[in-house]
Amino acid sequence: MEGGKPLIFIKPYSKTLEKLVEVLKESSEDQGTEIYEIDDVKEAIQIIPQLGQSLIIGAHPRKTAQILQAAGKLIRRLQSKVLLLTPKPIPRKTVDKFMKVGLTECIVEPIAPKTLQYKVNLLLRSIVIKKEEGDYDQKFDSEHDQSNDDEMARKQLSANIKEEDTQEE
């Protein structure tokens, strides 16, 4: 993985998903995404752990359900996003079961292409790319320093308030 945000498409595609794949392939370098296409559950089980947190999009409810059942714990642990496009509404109880095993959102087609692309970009923004350990340490240190500064400011403010209260008495 070169460092782009992983975007996994589950085959077969619907017409809407096919158009989305074409558009995203054209703009994948600009947006910093890496596109993967998978055909079956075995492939999904192999690729998901290697990529880490990712966005998984499918248009076939049964195949998406199979992948969620096989890799649901891993998907939830990695906090990956799973988007399902369906040609017809799925019963609410079924969608709830999908949600319990890792589905993020279910969208019923038809959907405007720009709206779908916006939704995908929004979900992609929430994905964190794996970085070297040093990056995490550095980020933690700067946040830690900031929280120390905040704590000092709170203590100073409470000391000032107490001082004002004693002066008034």
Side-chain angles (χ1 to χ4, degrees):
M1 194 168 101
E2 296 170 6
K5 295 183 179 188
L7 180 56
I8 303 169
F9 289 101
I10 303 168
K11 291 182 178 180
Y13 299 148
S14 64
K15 289 181 181 178
T16 307
L17 192 56
E18 206 170 295
K19 290 176 185 174
L20 180 68
V21 171
E22 288 175 19
V23 169
L24 291 174
K25 277 184 178 179
E26 291 172 9
S27 64
S28 66
E29 285 184 32
D30 298 337
Q31 292 183 341
T33 57
E34 289 186 25
I35 297 176
Y36 300 88
E37 297 174 285
I38 58 175
D39 294 308
D40 60 13
V41 178
K42 289 179 185 176
E43 205 174 342
I45 292 170
Q46 290 175 350
I47 199 169
I48 291 171
Q50 293 174 357
L51 298 176
Q53 188 180 23
S54 58
L55 173 58
I56 303 166
I57 303 174
H60 193 273
R62 182 167 284 132
K63 194 172 265 191
T64 304
Q66 290 170 344
I67 290 171
L68 284 171
Q69 287 173 340
K73 286 183 181 178
L74 182 63
I75 289 170
R76 284 191 307 275
R77 193 179 80 227
L78 293 170
Q79 296 180 340
S80 291
K81 312 293 182 231
V82 182
L83 182 65
L84 174 62
L85 295 171
T86 62
K88 55 186 175 183
I90 296 177
R92 185 73 206 162
K93 287 183 178 180
T94 308
V95 172
D96 289 343
K97 287 178 184 176
F98 275 129
M99 295 281 190
K100 285 181 182 175
V101 291
L103 183 70
T104 306
E105 192 164 350
C106 180
I107 298 175
V108 180
E109 296 181 65
I111 181 170
K114 290 218 179 225
T115 305
L116 181 59
Q117 188 175 358
Y118 176 78
K119 178 68 81 177
V120 168
N121 288 335
L122 195 65
L123 289 170
L124 277 172
R125 265 190 243 143
S126 70
I127 292 174
V128 178
I129 301 171
K130 286 184 182 177
K131 295 187 178 180
E132 295 176 25
E133 288 182 30
D135 293 342
Y136 289 121
D137 293 340
Q138 187 177 20
K139 185 177 180 184
F140 175 76
D141 289 342
S142 65
E143 286 178 6
H144 185 67
D145 292 343
Q146 180 66 34
S147 66
N148 280 343
D149 292 344
D150 291 345
E151 187 65 30
M152 292 285 284
R154 270 191 236 113
K155 285 181 181 177
Q156 183 65 39
L157 182 62
S158 65
N160 288 345
I161 291 170
K162 286 179 184 177
E163 191 175 298
E164 288 174 5
D165 287 344
T166 57
Q167 287 177 357
E168 288 176 5
E169 295 174 355

